[in-house]
Amino acid sequence: MIDLDLILLLFLVICAIAAVHMKDLLSATMILTAYSLIMALVWTNLNAVDVAFTEASVGAGITTVLVIAALSRTKRREED
Amino acid sequence: MQDNIILRTVTRILIPFIQLYGFYVIMHGESGPGGGFQGGVILGASIILYAIVFGIDQGRKIISEKLSDTLNSVGVLIYAGIGLICVLFGGKYLEYNILPLGSAHLASDMGILGIEIGVGITVASVMITIFFETARRER
């Protein structure tokens, strides 16, 4: 079996780089949510279920809502 | 989003199950994964979902500013109160098994459960407060 951990970490790095390089801030937020979800899978794979639970509920749930709520009060696109 | 009937119906059906799961996570914090913090976040997320779908003002009718401010401190009060009750019965701060509830094991379980409930109340209401304060419209 191919190492699941390696695939997840590869996705993690791709998501992190994509979130930094995205000009559309709403897309960046969504990619950050995907990053959090993959991170929760990594924690589960490391047998740290409690941390995975926290990561899934706080990282993927509440943080996304709060960042989008903050985004609604500013401009959606990054200027450069 | 107020006129989307699918969103409204699904939210109305889903919210009781989300809250039941949040209470389950709080109650089983000492024997399995989860606990006061995670359960509190799930409980807060159910109210936040309601406020997103039905509007901020409608959400503030369910949890008023006064109620969420009170719940913020009630959770801390429960946590500190259980700790101080342990001191009153002659133990250290948060030394549950000194509590007079029959066996020391039962007392420890009940003490941890009380702590989890206090943490859950505070975390849920703080999440709700942060969301409402961030999403509020400027007057």
Side-chain angles (χ1 to χ4, degrees):
Chain A
M1 193 187 125
I2 312 169
D3 200 1
L4 181 66
D5 225 10
L6 211 63
I7 300 173
L8 287 175
L9 289 175
L10 190 70
F11 271 117
L12 205 64
V13 172
I14 291 172
C15 280
I17 293 174
V20 172
H21 279 275
M22 199 61 69
K23 290 283 180 239
D24 189 351
L25 291 178
L26 189 62
S27 307
T29 311
M30 286 305 151
I31 292 170
L32 211 62
T33 307
Y35 173 90
S36 269
L37 213 58
I38 296 169
M39 196 68 211
L41 289 177
V42 172
W43 287 124
T44 316
N45 210 19
L46 293 171
N47 281 330
V49 188
D50 229 345
V51 187
F53 209 144
T54 313
E55 181 74 40
S57 58
V58 177
I62 295 291
T63 308
T64 311
V65 173
L66 289 183
V67 170
I68 289 178
L71 210 59
S72 71
R73 307 183 64 159
T74 174
K75 272 182 283 185
R76 182 171 163 180
R77 292 197 68 84
E78 190 178 313
E79 289 169 4
D80 48 301
Chain B
M1 266 189 268
Q2 272 88 336
D3 50 347
N4 192 333
I5 182 127
I6 296 175
L7 214 52
R8 289 171 66 110
T9 312
V10 169
T11 305
R12 198 167 284 163
I13 295 171
L14 215 54
I15 280 180
F17 292 101
I18 296 175
Q19 289 181 339
L20 195 64
Y21 183 60
F23 285 124
Y24 169 83
V25 170
I26 291 179
M27 291 298 166
H28 286 252
E30 75 218 53
S31 53
F37 185 79
Q38 289 93 330
V41 168
I42 293 172
L43 281 182
S46 72
I47 304 290
I48 290 175
L49 175 67
Y50 182 87
I52 288 174
V53 173
F54 290 91
I56 304 292
D57 297 331
Q58 185 70 26
R60 262 302 186 205
K61 273 182 201 159
I62 304 289
I63 305 277
S64 66
E65 212 159 318
K66 206 171 175 183
L67 180 61
S68 66
D69 283 354
T70 314
L71 286 179
N72 277 350
S73 357
V74 164
V76 180
L77 200 67
I78 291 174
Y79 191 108
I82 290 176
L84 287 178
I85 286 171
C86 296
V87 173
L88 287 183
F89 279 106
K92 299 190 186 74
Y93 189 71
L94 293 179
E95 188 181 358
Y96 317 112
N97 43 18
I98 211 86
L99 294 174
L101 288 172
S103 68
H105 188 71
L106 181 69
S108 176
D109 277 358
M110 286 297 139
I112 293 175
L113 186 61
I115 294 291
E116 302 275 18
I117 289 171
V119 173
I121 289 173
T122 297
V123 169
S125 64
V126 164
M127 290 296 167
I128 293 167
T129 309
I130 292 175
F131 171 73
F132 277 128
E133 289 304 312
T134 317
R136 188 176 45 140
R137 278 197 201 85
E138 296 291 330
R139 301 238 153 69

